[in-house]
């Protein structure tokens, strides 16, 4: 479809054209005053043998452009002023888009064939019939056919490639681990439909908040449509990053500058290479991609215990601060928001060991173990393991470890670092011992048939020693020489006029009655007689 932006402009309606231009000039003059300029000659193009010009026109400030009204007086020597066509309502946005494309693409050309063809294309889009345009192409002499053919190509290109504007879109993405990325996409709203520009079409100034680029800066000039790595700077479990992108002036859109004459003459479409810009911003929230290092301080529930007792381990979970580490417990994103990463602490109770346990980096190969239990933790704090039962006398010790593979990578396992305790830490050791048998009482000794008075037991408590052997002491009455042969006698005076003899003997399977051994006697039994 051929746009006819100047529906009142025809070759036979000069009076109407004058009125129309007068209205336009009044509209412009009512706005902010513009610098006066003068058309001072021709730009590139052709002049026919009869004096007609086909090409661009030049102004004294260096501007150049194409005439919009073929039947009107040429700009040379006339006074002009600039106006923004959008403020005058001359054309629809789509019509203005085609004029804008012609102006920025060809109006400033230094090639005369291009300039002549661009002038014809401008007139045709303003309403000149193609047949009349072919006739005017004859001003180019032998190049007339080439100029007309090029003008038709220009017009087709302008109507398909023209655009009403350009849009920017910023993409900010945070990774589960490592750097995130930012990308700026540019989309041109062409008359033929939206077009996402290919990568690196333009440079876009981009500023980050809450993150830096790979070189540590927060501002960079990025090629559109390409990814740039970013590193969040926050030290919280979740981070927030925003990016703002702004383009410079780009060769898109329908902004048009025209030069309006002070008298009845042609208006001029001014070459304007770039006139559009775009800006956009975006933000993203996510878990901090920094890894975090858990550590566990542990204490057994019972440093001393009896066989058969149940013991647990107290886990005091915290996070290690260090270079490149998140100084707090990590989170992962769920449909309900951010939740702490879960970790499994595996606790093993090793033992029993006969000797006290020495500290080592890890448990000895083949070390006995009572049980292994698991505790799920989801942050710093105090936890208690399930219980283990001590089977026998000996020394026992807990060890713990955290394996990141027990946590789904998508649920934060990829950022969870492993941890393992040393072996033999004192706070983890439990000693299990069986209770001692009670000592033999004097009453029990008296029941053996000794005199009414019993001498305190010798050698400690008198408890069983060496199987069935028992050391006993008894107060005996009798004369010197009674008792087993070879016994040692110790005479003891108890009160004036009386002397008692104390006999000490080892009995095996027999008993001592009245100073004599009754029953079987071990060959190595030794007697001491007093």
């Amino acid at each position: 479809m051929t746009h006819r932006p100047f529906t009142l402009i025809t070759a036979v309606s000069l009076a109407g054209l004058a009125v129309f231009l007068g209205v336009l000039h009044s509209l412009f003059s009512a706005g902010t005053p513009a610098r006066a300029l003068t058309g001072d000659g021709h730009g590139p193009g052709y002049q026919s043998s009869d004096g007609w010009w086909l090409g661009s026109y030049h102004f004294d400030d260096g501007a150049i452009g194409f005439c919009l009204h073929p039947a009107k007086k040429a700009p040379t020597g006339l006074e002009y002023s600039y106006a923004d066509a959008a403020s005058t309502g001359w054309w629809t946005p789509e019509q203005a888009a085609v004029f804008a494309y012609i102006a920025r693409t060809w109006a400033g050309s230094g090639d005369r064939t291009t300039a002549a063809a661009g002038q014809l294309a401008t007139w045709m889009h303003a309403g000149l019939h193609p047949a009349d345009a072919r006739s005017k192409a004859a001003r180019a002499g032998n190049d007339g056919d080439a100029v007309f053919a090029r003008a038709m190509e220009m017009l087709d290109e302008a109507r398909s490639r023209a655009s009403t504007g350009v849009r920017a879109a910023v993409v900010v993405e945070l990774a589960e681990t490592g750097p995130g990325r930012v990308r700026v996409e540019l989309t041109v709203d062409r008359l033929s439909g939206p077009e996402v520009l290919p990568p690196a079409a333009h440079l876009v100034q981009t500023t980050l908040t809450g993150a830096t680029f790979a070189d540590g800066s927060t501002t960079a000039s990025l090629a559109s449509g390409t990814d740039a790595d970013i590193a969040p700077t926050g030290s919280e479990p979740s981070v927030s990053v925003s990016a703002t992108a702004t383009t410079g002036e780009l060769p898109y859109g329908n902004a048009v500058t025209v030069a309006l004459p002070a008298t009845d003459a042609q208006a001029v479409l001014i070459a304007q290479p770039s006139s559009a810009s775009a800006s956009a911003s975006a933000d993203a929230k996510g878990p901090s991609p920094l890894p975090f290092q858990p550590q566990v301080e542990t204490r057994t529930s019972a440093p001393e215990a009896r066989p058969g007792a149940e013991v647990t381990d107290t886990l005091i979970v915290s996070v290690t601060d260090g270079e490149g580490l998140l100084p707090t417990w990590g989170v992962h994103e769920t449909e309900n928001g951010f939740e702490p990463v879960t970790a499994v602490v595996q606790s093993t109770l090793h033992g029993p060991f006969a000797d006290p346990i020495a500290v080592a980096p890890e448990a000895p190969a083949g070390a006995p173990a009572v049980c292994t239990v698991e505790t799920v933790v989801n942050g710093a704090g105090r936890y208690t393991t399930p219980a283990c039962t001590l089977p026998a006398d000996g020394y026992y010790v807990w060890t713990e470890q955290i394996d990141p593979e027990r946590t789904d990578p998508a649920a934060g396992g990829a950022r969870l670092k492993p941890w393992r305790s040393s072996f033999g830490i004192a706070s983890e050791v439990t000693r299990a011992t069986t209770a001692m048998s009670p000592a033999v009482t004097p009453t029990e000794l008296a029941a053996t048939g000794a005199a009414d008075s019993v001498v305190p037991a010798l050698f400690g408590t008198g408890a069983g020693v060496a199987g069935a052997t028992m050391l006993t002491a008894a107060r005996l009455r009798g004369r010197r020489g009674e008792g087993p042969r070879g016994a040692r006698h110790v005479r003891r005076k108890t009160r004036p006029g009386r002397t008692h003899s104390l006999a000490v003997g080892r009995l095996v399977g027999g008993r001592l009655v009245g100073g004599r051994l009754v029953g079987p006697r071990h060959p190595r039994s030794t007697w001491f007689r007093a």
Side-chain angles (χ1 to χ4, degrees), residues 262-301:
T263 63
D264 184 12
Q266 296 200 51
V268 179
L269 178 68
I270 299 298
Q272 190 174 355
S274 298
S275 59
S277 62
S279 62
S281 62
D283 57 73
K285 293 183 179 180
S288 171
L290 293 176
F292 63 99
Q293 175 64 74
Q295 64 178 7
V296 185
E297 179 185 348
T298 55
R299 297 191 185 101
T300 183
S301 61

Side-chain angles (χ1 to χ4, degrees), residues 198-270:
H202 301 284
L203 294 177
V204 184
Q205 194 75 3
T206 307
T207 301
L208 298 175
T209 302
T212 63
F213 292 104
D215 62 358
S217 67
T218 58
T219 301
S221 186
L222 304 181
S224 63
T226 61
D227 292 335
D229 286 349
I230 60 174
T233 55
S235 59
E236 297 299 318
S238 61
V239 294
S240 179
V241 176
S242 62
T244 300
T246 303
T247 70
E249 291 190 343
L250 301 178
Y252 309 104
N254 55 8
V256 177
T257 297
V258 294
L260 292 178
T263 63
D264 184 12
Q266 296 200 51
V268 179
L269 178 68
I270 299 298

Side-chain angles (χ1 to χ4, degrees), residues 157-461:
E157 179 182 336
R159 288 172 176 169
S160 64
R161 302 293 294 167
S163 59
T164 56
V166 60
R167 293 175 283 124
V170 179
V171 177
V172 178
E173 294 181 350
L174 301 178
E176 178 69 25
T177 60
R181 65 171 184 159
V182 61
R183 184 178 69 255
V184 182
E185 297 282 7
L186 296 178
T187 300
V188 178
D189 292 318
R190 301 196 186 278
L191 299 185
S192 57
E195 177 190 355
V196 178
L197 295 180
H202 301 284
L203 294 177
V204 184
Q205 194 75 3
T206 307
T207 301
L208 298 175
T209 302
T212 63
F213 292 104
D215 62 358
S217 67
T218 58
T219 301
S221 186
L222 304 181
S224 63
T226 61
D227 292 335
D229 286 349
I230 60 174
T233 55
S235 59
E236 297 299 318
S238 61
V239 294
S240 179
V241 176
S242 62
T244 300
T246 303
T247 70
E249 291 190 343
L250 301 178
Y252 309 104
N254 55 8
V256 177
T257 297
V258 294
L260 292 178
T263 63
D264 184 12
Q266 296 200 51
V268 179
L269 178 68
I270 299 298
Q272 190 174 355
S274 298
S275 59
S277 62
S279 62
S281 62
D283 57 73
K285 293 183 179 180
S288 171
L290 293 176
F292 63 99
Q293 175 64 74
Q295 64 178 7
V296 185
E297 179 185 348
T298 55
R299 297 191 185 101
T300 183
S301 61
E304 298 285 343
R306 304 295 187 199
E310 290 189 339
V311 293
T312 60
D313 205 15
T314 297
L315 311 177
I316 303 173
V317 181
S318 60
V319 176
T320 301
D321 193 1
E323 183 68 26
L325 294 176
L326 184 67
T328 186
W329 194 270
V331 298
H332 67 106
E333 192 167 9
T334 71
E335 59 183 13
N336 298 320
F338 296 116
E339 295 183 358
V341 175
T342 59
V344 177
V345 180
Q346 182 175 288
S347 304
T348 300
L349 182 62
H350 302 271
F353 299 95
D355 299 318
I357 299 171
V359 177
E362 58 185 16
V370 177
C371 68
T372 296
V373 295
E374 294 181 347
T375 307
V376 176
V377 301
N378 58 2
R382 185 182 294 265
Y383 302 84
T384 301
T385 68
C388 289
T389 302
L390 303 176
D393 286 358
Y395 293 89
Y396 300 82
V397 65
W398 290 96
T399 61
E400 270 81 19
Q401 67 173 348
I402 294 175
D403 183 0
E405 293 188 359
R406 297 293 303 276
T407 301
D408 186 347
R415 290 177 283 117
L416 176 65
K417 296 186 73 66
W419 180 85
R420 180 186 295 272
S421 69
S422 298
F423 176 81
I425 298 175
S427 63
E428 294 282 15
V429 175
T430 296
R431 181 185 181 187
T433 55
T434 301
M436 300 297 290
S437 300
V440 178
T441 66
T443 302
E444 292 172 328
L445 291 174
T448 63
D452 54 351
S453 175
V454 180
V455 179
L458 301 179
F459 306 108
T461 63

Side-chain angles (χ1 to χ4, degrees), residues 506-512 517-523 525 527:
R506 167 175 284 178
L507 304 180
V508 180
R511 61 193 180 94
L512 188 66
L517 181 64
V518 179
R521 178 170 54 184
H522 192 278
S525 296
W527 281 92

